Amino acid sequence: MKSDRLLSILLLLQTRARVPAAELAERLEVSVRTIYRDVESLSAAGVPVYAERGRHGGISLLPGYRTDVTGLTSHEARALFALTAPGSHSALGLDGALRSALRKVMVALPAPHRPTAELASRRILIDPDRWMSGPRPTVDLDALETAVFTDRRLRLRYRHSGATRSHTYTVDPYGLVAKAGTWYLVADRGGTPRLFRADRIATATVTDAPARRRPGVELADAWESLRREVEERPVAVRVRARVRRSRLDMLVRIVGSLLATRVEVLPEPAPGQPGSEQGPDLAHAPDTDRASDPAPDPVADARGDAQADAPVGADAERGDPADGASAGEAGGRADVGDAHDEWVTVEIGYTVAGAARQLLQFGTDVEVLDPPEVRAVLAATAARITDLYGGDDLAGEPAP
């Protein structure tokens, strides 16, 4: 609606001295001509708004002009109170500030919308942690936050994944990102974007030198570039395997979301047909037949832990023949076949053959069909496991 757009323009202009008409058009998804018409409408309504042409021109409000805009809609109020997950604010020391801000917003809300906002905070709960993730290491974000907001360079002592010693780096920070409950520092090192896991930063010192960021690059741009490098890594090894249908859902969760998007949801078998037996409904409870749900860390190296400082994907591309863990999934697809087949054929893409060792956690519920070199890797690993436990008395133990 035009009224919503006019309000959005007014709010944007109050936060910045000058905004280019093209930027307003892009953010509000309209044409530049529409923006100029809206500016004329605001001016006709008595708002002191004007346009400056030229290379550094844009739309501006007269200095000092402010308006009290508290006309939140019911949906906007619900969004504010529902989507305030406590985890991120706690790590930044902003829990108290968040509660205070919400109280002020509640007072400013139109009376008819207050019950909706209050109900949203009681009916919607967001828990950013994975199931059975265990206690998270303590993360001190104070120095990182200071550097980010004061535009200063950081000197870090950082421990790489699997390393026993820390290395020292000087970086130019763009900002902090919380993903799936894990904090990352996004920064340039030598002009190259890097990710640093906050819980592996031993010390962080804010220097007096100003941060030297690449011109025109914001946090969102740097993060998107790093995210694409992680999620769009080239597939070097395609593995075809079969999985028992009863374990397909868990395989999809562990292998990655790209495989999951290509798995069809099949109708339940008719009563009396194979597979129609009713089991417990696990859709409303966490899986408890495993130690953890090892959804891959987005910066996982071949050891399965987040490799965050080296160029993204470097460790995963190098591979570690001693331990493949769960890195390197680039995607896959599934041929679900007939709804009543016991086995489902899947195809998974890995950056290194050793990463397929993650399939061993399924025991005999997953069998790799090809390529032969991956079968050989799994067979060799299984043989080493047999040697490790071969001296134990396994009589009477159930098969895996």
Side-chain angles (χ1 to χ4, degrees), residues 91-314:
L92 295 172
L94 295 176
D95 269 352
L98 174 63
R99 288 191 295 268
S100 176
L102 291 179
R103 284 194 297 268
K104 292 176 181 178
V105 171
M106 181 67 80
V107 171
L109 281 176
H113 297 337
R114 291 176 190 170
T116 299
E118 193 272 337
L119 186 62
S121 65
R122 292 165 45 208
R123 294 291 185 263
I124 304 296
L125 176 65
I126 299 176
D127 184 348
D129 295 330
R130 296 188 181 100
W131 287 111
M132 295 173 281
S133 58
R136 294 188 176 276
T138 302
V139 177
D140 185 0
L141 299 178
D142 288 348
L144 306 182
E145 191 177 357
T146 298
V148 163
F149 284 104
T150 59
D151 297 323
R152 297 292 177 181
R153 304 190 95 186
L154 271 168
R155 186 175 296 109
L156 306 177
R157 283 186 56 243
Y158 184 77
R159 182 182 61 80
H160 292 265
S161 171
T164 57
R165 299 177 59 184
S166 298
H167 297 268
T168 300
Y169 303 110
T170 299
V171 300
D172 301 293
Y174 285 93
L176 296 167
V177 174
K179 185 170 180 64
T182 299
W183 281 96
Y184 295 91
L185 172 70
V186 178
D188 275 356
R189 183 160 71 88
T192 302
R194 308 291 177 92
L195 279 178
F196 298 86
R197 273 189 66 136
D199 56 12
R200 290 215 302 271
I201 296 176
T203 62
T205 304
V206 182
T207 71
D208 293 331
R212 297 192 295 227
R213 304 185 182 106
R214 286 164 289 150
V217 178
E218 297 291 339
L219 171 62
D221 303 319
W223 172 256
E224 179 63 17
S225 174
L226 292 165
R227 186 194 62 79
R228 284 200 306 269
E229 287 187 38
V230 171
E231 296 184 352
E232 299 174 9
R233 284 180 282 184
V235 174
V237 180
R238 291 199 175 273
V239 173
R240 192 169 65 90
R242 65 173 190 161
V243 55
R244 293 188 192 275
R245 185 174 297 278
S246 61
R247 304 293 281 174
L248 179 61
D249 286 342
M250 186 178 295
L251 177 77
V252 166
R253 286 201 301 274
I254 291 175
V255 166
S257 60
L258 188 55
L259 172 61
T261 59
R262 299 179 183 177
V263 174
E264 301 173 10
V265 178
L266 297 173
E268 293 185 1
Q273 291 185 335
S276 63
E277 296 81 0
Q278 294 297 317
D281 182 5
L282 298 183
H284 306 292
D287 294 301
T288 56
D289 58 347
R290 56 195 168 89
S292 63
D293 186 357
D297 188 291
V299 220
D301 62 8
R303 287 177 295 276
D305 194 12
Q307 161 268 322
D309 133 87
V312 174

